[in-house]
Amino acid sequence: MNKLSPSILAADFWNLGQQIESVQKAGAQYLHVDVMDGMFVPSISFGMPVLSSIRKKTDMFLDVHLMVERPERYIQAFAACGADLINFHLEATRDVAGTIGQIRSLGKKVGVTLKPDTPAEAVEPYLDQVDMVLVMTVEPGFGGQKILPSCMDKVSQVRGLIRKKDLDVDVEVDGGVTLENVSSVVDAGASVIVAGSAVFDGDVEKNVETLLGKIKRA
Ligand code: DX5
Ligand code: ZN
């Protein structure tokens, strides 16, 4: 079943708890937690204490997206704070295999992430070691950007590589997903959909329900 992963980067932090309750009540399966270090990406978002607070109050699946230079330094900390899955960028580390191994050894699910300019083939050597490939459809760093149409082909290519190897790996798409384009994102091969502004701008529960209706597939 395809899943929705609302990105709390677009939430109203004054009411974060309430907003998380709303997305869960409306049926979102995952919660996307964007961690930015001001180095790998220009902006700084939030980190371990926020993740811990969320973990204490919800049993939702926490899908952590590390936009952090040398993520291997922080795997242990984010695992301890309650991540269920840790996504890190291929471009951010020289030790992709070691970082995957570290996440696995802590009993967490592993995702590897590709920036818009990184080709699909870059992930091929790791496909049999991961649970998810996260394809960025905007330059990472900020919410509320427009989807880059050039990245849609990459979603299909990654899905094609996974199919060719007959693996059970999710393809997650992150950046610029809207009510209008979400169906084409799923058609391209995405099985987990991140949505920030499309969920948190306006009526949160209604947005989640509408998005879930559109990503549902047999
Ligand atoms: C961007 C983040 C995204 C962002 C998506 O660097 O990784 O998760 O929150 O926001 P929208 O859906 O508004 O593009
Ligand atoms: Zn993200």
Side-chain angles (χ1 to χ4, degrees):
M1 197 185 47
N2 295 328
K3 297 186 170 70
L4 183 67
S5 192
S7 166
I8 57 164
L9 189 64
D12 166 12
F13 292 114
W14 185 254
N15 294 308
L16 184 59
Q18 262 174 30
Q19 296 215 312
I20 293 174
E21 279 173 2
S22 297
V23 299
Q24 183 168 24
K25 189 170 155 218
Q29 302 91 341
Y30 288 7
L31 198 65
H32 188 80
V33 180
D34 283 310
V35 179
M36 302 181 184
D37 67 349
M39 292 290 285
F40 183 72
V41 290
S43 192
I44 297 175
S45 57
F46 41 74
M48 285 86 89
V50 172
L51 184 65
S52 298
S53 301
I54 296 171
R55 176 76 300 160
K56 281 188 196 126
K57 297 287 184 186
T58 180
D59 57 2
M60 282 183 88
F61 185 94
L62 301 180
D63 157 30
V64 174
H65 176 193
L66 296 181
M67 284 164 274
V68 169
E69 208 53 67
R70 295 182 48 225
E72 59 272 22
R73 297 174 298 155
Y74 287 104
I75 301 303
Q76 182 107 38
F78 280 95
C81 289
D84 291 300
L85 178 146
I86 300 179
N87 273 300
F88 68 95
H89 276 261
L90 275 190
E91 308 86 359
T93 179
R94 288 182 171 180
D95 188 10
V96 174
T99 307
I100 292 172
Q102 219 193 124
I103 300 172
R104 277 246 175 280
S105 70
L106 293 162
K108 306 298 178 181
K109 294 206 163 174
V110 185
V112 284
T113 309
L114 307 176
K115 284 170 78 172
D117 288 342
T118 305
E121 300 76 56
V123 82
E124 196 171 1
Y126 309 107
L127 282 179
D128 59 351
Q129 302 159 43
V130 301
D131 301 288
M132 172 185 279
V133 177
L134 167 52
V135 178
M136 290 304 301
T137 42
V138 298
E139 281 300 335
F142 301 96
Q145 305 180 69
K146 268 208 159 67
I147 199 163
L148 295 167
S150 56
C151 295
M152 295 300 286
D153 280 349
K154 190 160 51 177
V155 176
S156 317
Q157 287 161 11
V158 171
R159 177 53 74 200
L161 292 171
I162 293 168
R163 212 171 271 140
K164 202 173 79 189
K165 291 175 188 269
D166 201 19
L167 294 168
D168 181 18
V169 174
D170 274 313
V171 178
E172 181 173 49
V173 164
D174 183 8
V177 172
T178 62
L179 297 177
E180 291 71 37
N181 65 25
V182 65
S183 300
S184 56
V185 172
V186 173
D187 289 344
S191 49
V192 182
I193 306 291
V194 177
S197 345
V199 164
F200 292 101
D201 287 359
D203 184 333
V204 174
E205 282 186 40
K206 192 164 155 255
N207 290 338
V208 168
E209 282 160 14
T210 312
L211 283 164
L212 282 173
K214 289 186 182 242
I215 69 175
K216 220 181 269 165
R217 291 282 195 280

